[in-house]
């Protein structure tokens, strides 16, 4: 089903390695709570042997790790789909402006009171709505003359992202005592997650990834070219729209509670595409696993880097890794997009 024996072997090895990294990352990330917990204590709790660390794990850590796994897997899967849909390794939820759109909604929810809706609900709800609206705005602006060129879409996403970031900066300027909340949200953090939020995010992420997986074979055909896909009986426009909506819903659900976390959807799918090849039937699930492992590792590092200053916002770490990688991709593709 997935190609030659060599490719199958590579897929098996890659999956096992990613799962091992994910398990180790989860255990290490669980060691950080109100009190520092040893690696052995965490393993003891996971194996079902209750210790003094059990309550700390359940109250302080398990939620953070769970939301990190959901957000990482969702963003990586969305990046995988967007890169295939637009046939461009630079496409990702962050580059297309979705995170900035969510930040705008969150800033509005943090500053302005909405009657009959508590702020704890209004902030993620508005972030979700504005994230969806941003995708349709970017797609609508870039859709010219009955077609959407990938480079135009990316540039449109960057432009609209900059515009929305400017609006968020203005709202931050006038926010008064809410300024700290907006800044903290815009940098991304897993530390405020609770089981109620996870119960909202999990179904959207799982259903969204399931929908994207169902279209993975059609996505392979679209990567070769629209005309080839249409020859195979695929409704390209409809399929592309469904995939964009599914990926946007997953992105919106992922970032609406934890803030703007960038570059996960750029780095992870591109790395696994190099290792495994372009088959989205295998690339999408492995990217989802890799995204979960990557974000949990980043969360662990966020605790380790400067503990005397508290927990470093996780969005800062992903940007420090992702921005140089984006520059690397730009330099690789500058001849293809006509830059000197």
């Amino acid at each position: 089903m997935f190609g030659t024996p060599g490719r199958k072997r590579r897929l098996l090895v890659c999956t096992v390695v990613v799962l091992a990294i994910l398990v180790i990352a989860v255990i290490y990330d669980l060691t950080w709570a109100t009190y520092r917990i040893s690696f052995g204590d965490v393993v003891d709790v996971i194996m079902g042997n209750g210790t003094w660390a059990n309550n700390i794990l359940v109250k302080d850590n398990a939620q953070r790790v769970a939301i990190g796994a959901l957000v990482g897997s969702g963003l990586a899967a969305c990046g995988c789909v967007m890169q295939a849909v637009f046939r461009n390794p630079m496409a990702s939820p962050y580059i297309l402006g979705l995170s900035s759109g969510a930040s705008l909604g969150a800033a509005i929810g943090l500053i302005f009171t909405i009657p009959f809706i508590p702020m704890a609900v209004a902030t993620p709800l508005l972030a979700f709505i504005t994230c969806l609206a941003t995708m349709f705005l970017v797609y609508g602006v870039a859709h010219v003359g009955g077609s959407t060129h990938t480079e135009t879409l990316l540039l449109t996403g960057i432009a609209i992202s900059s515009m929305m970031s400017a609006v968020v900066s203005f709202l931050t300027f006038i926010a008064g005592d809410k300024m700290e909340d907006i800044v903290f949200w815009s940098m991304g953090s897993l530390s405020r997650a609770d089981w109620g939020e996870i119960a909202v995010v999990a179904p959207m992420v799982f259903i969204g990834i399931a929908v994207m997986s169902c279209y993975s074979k059609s996505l392979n055909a679209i990567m070769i070219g629209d005309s080839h896909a249409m020859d195979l009986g695929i409704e390209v426009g409809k399929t592309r729209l469904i995939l964009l909506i599914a990926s946007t819903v997953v992105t919106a659900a992922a970032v609406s509670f934890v803030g703007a976390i960038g570059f996960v959807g750029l780095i992870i799918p591109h790395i696994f595409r190099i290792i495994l090849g372009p088959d989205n039937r295998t690339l999408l699930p492995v990217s989802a696993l890799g995204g979960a492992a990557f974000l949990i590792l980043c969360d662990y590092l966020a605790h380790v880097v400067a503990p005397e200053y508290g927990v470093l916002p996780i969005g800062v770490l992903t940007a420090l890794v992702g921005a140089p990688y984006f520059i690397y991709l730009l330099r690789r593709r500058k001849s293809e997009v006509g830059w000197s």
Side-chain angles (χ1 to χ4, degrees):
M1 176 183 177
F2 299 123
T4 63
R7 181 166 293 180
K8 292 179 182 178
R9 194 179 307 113
R10 196 184 312 141
L11 171 62
L12 178 61
V13 171
C14 184
T15 303
V16 171
V17 170
V18 171
L19 282 172
I21 294 172
L22 176 60
V23 171
I24 294 170
V26 166
I27 295 175
Y28 268 107
D29 201 25
L30 284 172
T31 64
W32 283 95
T34 305
Y35 301 96
R36 189 76 167 86
I37 308 169
S38 71
F39 188 93
D41 282 330
V42 174
V43 174
D44 200 31
V45 171
I46 292 174
M47 296 300 291
N49 303 317
T51 68
W52 64 270
N54 190 38
N55 287 336
I56 297 177
L57 284 175
V58 173
K59 291 179 181 178
D60 294 343
N61 282 19
Q63 302 98 313
R64 192 185 74 245
V65 173
I67 197 77
L70 287 170
V71 171
S73 61
L75 292 177
C78 292
C80 178
V81 167
M82 288 183 176
Q83 288 171 13
V85 165
F86 302 123
R87 299 192 289 275
N88 193 311
M90 293 184 290
S92 75
Y94 189 82
I95 301 301
L96 290 176
L98 303 187
S99 295
S100 296
S103 297
L104 176 58
I108 294 171
L110 289 168
I111 294 176
F112 302 105
T113 302
I114 302 176
F116 311 113
I117 302 179
M119 181 182 294
V121 176
T123 301
L125 179 62
L126 285 170
F128 185 91
I129 292 171
T130 52
C131 184
L132 286 174
T134 301
M135 181 70 253
F136 287 110
L137 176 61
V138 171
Y139 190 80
V141 172
H143 190 76
V144 180
S147 62
T148 307
H149 296 288
T150 57
E151 308 299 347
T152 303
L153 189 79
L154 291 171
L155 292 173
T156 303
I158 292 171
I160 290 178
S161 175
S162 299
M163 180 181 68
M164 290 190 170
S165 295
V167 176
V168 172
S169 297
F170 172 73
L171 292 175
T172 304
F173 178 73
I174 65 171
D177 58 352
K178 299 291 184 181
M179 179 185 294
E180 184 177 343
D181 291 334
I182 297 176
V183 172
F184 187 79
W185 196 96
S186 66
M187 290 189 292
S189 174
L190 306 179
S191 61
R192 297 184 179 183
D194 59 47
W195 291 118
E197 295 174 356
I198 292 168
V200 174
V201 174
M204 293 188 185
V205 171
F206 289 140
I207 293 171
I209 292 177
V211 170
M212 290 185 271
S213 298
C214 289
Y215 282 90
S216 59
K217 191 173 181 180
S218 299
L219 198 55
N220 287 343
I222 291 174
M223 286 179 62
I224 299 174
D226 289 359
S227 58
H228 173 77
M230 286 187 283
D231 288 341
L232 295 175
I234 297 170
E235 297 180 72
V236 174
K238 179 182 177 182
T239 300
R240 182 176 283 124
L241 184 60
I242 289 172
L243 287 168
L244 281 177
I245 291 174
S247 57
T248 304
V249 168
V250 171
T251 300
V255 304
S256 58
F257 289 105
V258 301
I261 298 176
F263 294 105
V264 179
L266 173 73
I267 302 169
I268 301 303
H270 191 264
I271 290 174
F272 285 118
R273 197 179 299 276
I274 294 172
I275 297 171
L276 298 176
D279 190 345
N280 291 284
R281 293 173 297 173
T282 59
L283 184 61
L284 202 152
V286 175
S287 293
L289 286 175
F294 174 72
L295 202 57
I296 292 173
L297 277 174
C298 285
D299 187 58
Y300 173 72
L301 291 174
H303 287 81
V304 172
V305 170
E308 65 273 18
Y309 297 105
V311 182
L312 186 70
I314 195 169
V316 174
L317 275 176
T318 59
L320 285 173
V321 176
Y325 198 81
F326 183 62
I327 294 171
Y328 159 74
L329 289 178
L330 282 174
R331 289 188 61 83
R332 274 191 58 188
R333 286 181 55 85
K334 67 178 182 179
S335 59
E336 297 176 41
V337 297
W339 293 346
S340 57

